[in-house]
Amino acid sequence: EDQVTQSPEALRLQEGESSSLNCSYTVSGLRGLFWYRQDPGKGPEFLFTLYSAGEEKEKERLKATLTKKESFLHITAPKPEDSATYLCAVQAGSGYSTLTFGKGTMLLVSP
Amino acid sequence: DTGVSQDPRHKITKRGQNVTFRCDPISEHNRLYWYRQTLGQGPEFLTYFQNEAQLEKSRLLSDRFSAERPKGSFSTLEIQRTEQGDSAMYLCASSSLEGGGIEQYFGPGTRLTVT
């Protein structure tokens, strides 16, 4: 059974204080690992897809990396508007493309 | 805006009533998914359509739940005889087989409260 574990559950940062979120996964044949951002009361917003170990993707202050067992979402010099829940999900190579999500990391960036 | 849309955004119902939600995917996306999300949890897969065919259903989808996508465009999710445990955010997502992309794009969700 595919499993995704995210840590920490919650993270509070000061504006400008860089940090990383972790996503550990167990999946039979990874087809893709996804990062989403979710604001309260809204649907998840797609950020990145990573396909293979060693791959990296960047968008503004966010950088996602992937190894064979985990992914990191690095946040450089965060701003208050980066406050949200960040969700990690995996898609197995077999099956019908459904996503298995972690519980998310709730990030709060204080000014 | 050509994103995924869902209607209604909020629904309050009494236990035992039936409810129906609608999802309109991104134009020309042939894959459509339903997920359920409760507070503090990630979305959990419910069911999946490719065009009008329902290809997969989760164990979470009890007999009280039914989903359709009659013309391969919009989809409906119906919950019969609602229970308090059905209270959750119901999310719809779509993706396309074209171009090799596998990303799923989510709608804003329908928040269901069963009293």
Side-chain angles (χ1 to χ4, degrees):
Chain A
E1 182 178 335
D2 301 340
Q3 287 190 324
V4 178
T5 303
Q6 292 188 246
S7 62
E9 292 185 3
L11 180 63
R12 173 171 282 190
L13 299 174
Q14 291 294 316
E15 184 172 3
E17 180 186 2
S18 301
S19 188
S20 297
L21 312 182
N22 177 262
C23 171
S24 298
Y25 64 91
T26 303
V27 64
S28 54
L30 180 71
R31 188 177 182 203
L33 184 141
F34 306 85
W35 283 97
Y36 287 85
R37 169 190 171 130
Q38 187 172 29
D39 293 301
K42 298 187 177 181
E45 174 189 349
F46 170 75
L47 293 174
F48 302 110
T49 306
L50 300 168
Y51 294 97
S52 58
E55 189 174 2
E56 298 182 351
K57 293 270 181 78
E58 284 190 70
K59 179 180 179 180
E60 296 180 354
R61 294 177 293 282
L62 300 177
K63 178 180 178 180
T65 62
L66 181 65
T67 72
K68 289 186 177 180
K69 293 184 178 181
E70 58 190 350
S71 176
F72 293 92
L73 184 66
H74 307 278
I75 304 176
T76 302
K79 298 181 178 181
E81 53 262 42
D82 295 322
S83 297
T85 294
Y86 290 86
L87 295 166
C88 173
V90 296
Q91 186 178 92
S94 61
Y96 292 109
S97 307
T98 60
L99 297 179
T100 300
F101 280 87
K103 293 183 178 182
T105 293
M106 185 183 299
L107 174 66
L108 178 62
V109 182
S110 303
Chain B
D1 183 23
T2 58
V4 178
S5 61
Q6 293 187 245
D7 185 68
R9 294 293 308 279
H10 299 92
K11 178 71 176 179
I12 300 174
T13 190
K14 293 184 178 180
R15 188 179 57 181
Q17 297 294 305
N18 299 343
V19 294
T20 300
F21 310 141
R22 175 179 170 126
C23 170
D24 287 88
I26 293 171
S27 297
E28 300 177 355
H29 274 196
N30 52 359
R31 292 182 168 179
L32 186 148
Y33 310 79
W34 285 98
Y35 291 82
R36 180 172 68 188
Q37 186 177 26
T38 54
L39 198 61
Q41 303 293 315
E44 294 177 295
F45 167 74
L46 292 178
T47 190
Y48 155 62
F49 291 85
Q50 182 164 308
N51 300 313
E52 55 278 349
Q54 187 174 21
L55 295 186
E56 189 173 3
K57 291 172 28 174
S58 165
R59 294 187 304 272
L60 294 175
L61 212 64
S62 75
D63 292 343
R64 296 183 298 104
F65 287 70
S66 63
E68 295 183 341
R69 194 182 184 198
K71 297 183 180 179
S73 57
F74 73 92
S75 175
T76 58
L77 178 68
E78 180 182 17
I79 309 174
Q80 296 182 326
R81 305 181 303 281
T82 52
E83 303 173 354
Q84 287 189 324
D86 296 331
S87 295
M89 174 79 89
Y90 289 84
L91 294 163
C92 176
S94 69
S95 68
S96 173
L97 279 171
E98 303 299 322
I102 60 174
E103 296 81 11
Q104 295 181 21
Y105 296 91
F106 284 80
T110 294
R111 168 76 63 188
L112 173 66
T113 303
V114 182
T115 62

